[in-house]
Amino acid sequence: MNPIERPRRLRRDGLRKLVSENQLTASDLIAPVFVDATTDERVGIETMPGHERVPIEESVARVEEVLETGVEAVMLFGIPESKDERGSRAWAEDGVVQEATRRIASETNATVITDVCLCEYTEHGHCGVLENEAADDPRLTVKNDETLDLLRKIAVSHAEAGAEMVAPSGMMDGMVGAIREALDDADYADVPIMSYAAKYESAFYGPFRDAADGAPAFGNRRHYQMDPANSREAMREVELDVEQGADVLMVKPALPYLDIVRDIREEFDQPVAAYNVSGEYAMLHAASEKGWLDLQETALESLLSIKRAGADLILTYFAEDIADELA
Ligand code: PBG
């Protein structure tokens, strides 16, 4: 009789660690930070326990907290003091993200990445200029090319403020090329673009939309974000972004789309990022509050699975808690 194969031999504590195929480190993680120009004190975000919107004055202190855990990069989101039709506070020199970026970049060693989008800045909450405003108009759509002109301005204003990388999240066609050109023309050829290349129209963004006050006032984002049913389309989106000069390719959300992370990893050489979104964070918190799941363990397992699928970078609201654990 043949001896039985014994993979269990390598599973005892010390050996198990030696043979582990994937490791999570604090340097893989990016912590999202919300800066809010409408408040002068920190406000907790109910749907995302442990996270807050902080006033501009507190942005450096907030980022220092992140750095203390060992996480070195932050992704900034802004809540402007006012919103309008076209989201003009998104590219203002004294806008919330620009102010916070300037401070953080000059006073800390953090790597500052900025979200380039309009939904937090438009009164209607859509990621661009609207074609038609009637809430019940089935033709409601965001005008692609007009929106590109605004995205160029936002990206350049972030670079001017000191952003080390910009991350367009609006899913407009041609956005990476437009931003690349604008950055190059403004002498920011060295500022890379992390494109939200495959961003799905996902119900897992719910808590974020509360946090950043960016829910569409009417309609939905189906006509610009991707259909969760599609994977070949994701490859096409990524290919287009690569052609236009994307430096890092992001998939969002992460856990329900690990197949997409893997597909991109296999097809492309660029670094792959995955965004472990607000809903993925909120559901583990909710279950652990009920005593049904262990928060740290499930968070760690989730992030490890994202790495295993092929992500090099992970944006996650768990960044600080997990980094503490890894240290
Ligand atoms: C858009 C943007 C969104 C998220 C990041 N950037 C929201 C959306 O598309 O509705 C979601 C992040 C999350 O859920 O954690 N600027």
Side-chain angles (χ1 to χ4, degrees):
M1 197 181 83
N2 288 333
I4 57 175
E5 285 288 327
R6 297 190 187 277
R8 285 180 52 183
R9 280 182 196 132
L10 295 176
R11 287 190 193 139
R12 271 175 298 161
D13 272 350
L15 292 174
R16 183 186 175 101
K17 269 196 208 148
L18 279 175
V19 300
S20 78
E21 298 172 36
N22 291 283
Q23 265 100 30
L24 199 59
T25 63
S27 57
D28 301 324
L29 306 176
I30 302 170
V33 164
F34 298 97
V35 186
D36 186 346
T38 69
T39 177
D40 44 23
E41 52 189 49
R42 293 179 177 227
V43 186
I45 302 168
E46 202 186 334
T47 50
M48 295 165 67
H51 282 271
E52 303 172 311
R53 299 169 169 205
V54 304
I56 295 169
E57 293 66 39
E58 291 276 317
S59 53
V60 168
R62 173 73 193 95
V63 170
E64 275 166 354
E65 291 164 11
V66 173
L67 294 173
E68 263 165 40
T69 66
V71 173
E72 293 161 26
V74 293
M75 171 77 116
L76 294 188
F77 292 98
I79 296 103
E81 56 292 321
S82 64
K83 304 187 187 224
D84 59 30
E85 198 48 50
R86 294 165 67 80
S88 63
R89 295 303 296 167
W91 61 86
E93 203 188 326
D94 62 349
V96 56
V97 165
Q98 291 80 356
E99 289 286 353
T101 299
R102 224 170 272 126
R103 292 177 187 219
I104 298 163
S106 63
E107 294 176 43
T108 77
N109 290 325
T111 300
V112 181
I113 308 168
T114 55
D115 183 77
V116 174
C117 197
L118 284 151
C119 54
E120 294 115 53
Y121 301 86
T122 52
E123 352 176 269
H124 44 73
H126 280 283
C127 302
V129 183
L130 284 192
E131 182 94 51
N132 187 306
E133 272 213 65
D136 53 0
D137 188 330
R139 292 166 306 171
L140 172 81
T141 184
V142 167
K143 289 194 207 172
N144 194 84
D145 298 9
E146 225 178 297
T147 301
L148 294 184
D149 290 336
L150 307 185
L151 296 178
R152 287 176 216 259
K153 294 202 264 190
I154 303 173
V156 170
S157 73
H158 288 180
E160 268 166 6
E164 238 167 286
M165 177 153 76
V166 293
S169 63
M171 288 300 279
M172 294 299 127
D173 294 334
M175 73 181 180
V176 173
I179 290 173
R180 184 69 273 157
E181 188 185 71
L183 289 173
D184 291 355
D185 288 351
D187 252 2
Y188 294 109
D190 288 338
V191 174
I193 300 175
M194 172 160 72
S195 179
Y196 288 67
K199 176 171 175 180
Y200 286 86
E201 203 266 331
S202 169
F204 286 97
Y205 305 149
F208 173 92
R209 291 181 184 174
D210 288 340
D213 194 20
F218 46 80
N220 54 50
R221 302 207 210 282
R222 281 183 194 207
H223 58 287
Y224 42 101
Q225 298 181 350
M226 283 183 55
D227 182 346
N230 296 349
S231 54
R232 292 193 303 269
E233 189 191 356
M235 300 307 274
R236 180 165 143 76
E237 281 284 359
V238 169
E239 200 178 318
L240 291 171
D241 283 4
V242 167
E243 282 167 17
Q244 292 168 40
D247 300 280
V248 181
L249 307 168
M250 196 202 297
V251 177
K252 180 181 169 191
L255 294 177
Y257 298 91
L258 292 182
D259 56 327
I260 309 296
V261 172
R262 169 56 59 91
D263 287 351
I264 297 176
R265 168 76 299 141
E266 281 174 359
E267 279 299 309
F268 296 90
D269 296 329
Q270 282 77 1
V272 178
Y275 199 142
N276 178 233
V277 302
S278 57
E280 300 174 54
Y281 179 80
M283 65 185 177
L284 296 190
H285 266 275
S288 86
E289 258 171 46
K290 281 186 173 278
W292 293 350
L293 288 177
D294 181 274
L295 185 61
Q296 286 294 109
E297 298 284 322
T298 51
L300 200 57
E301 188 176 331
S302 299
L303 299 185
L304 195 55
S305 74
I306 296 168
K307 270 215 92 169
R308 197 188 59 236
D312 303 292
L313 297 64
I314 306 175
L315 290 103
T316 177
Y317 303 96
F318 289 117
E320 293 161 86
D321 294 340
I322 291 301
D324 261 345
E325 178 115 331
L326 299 172

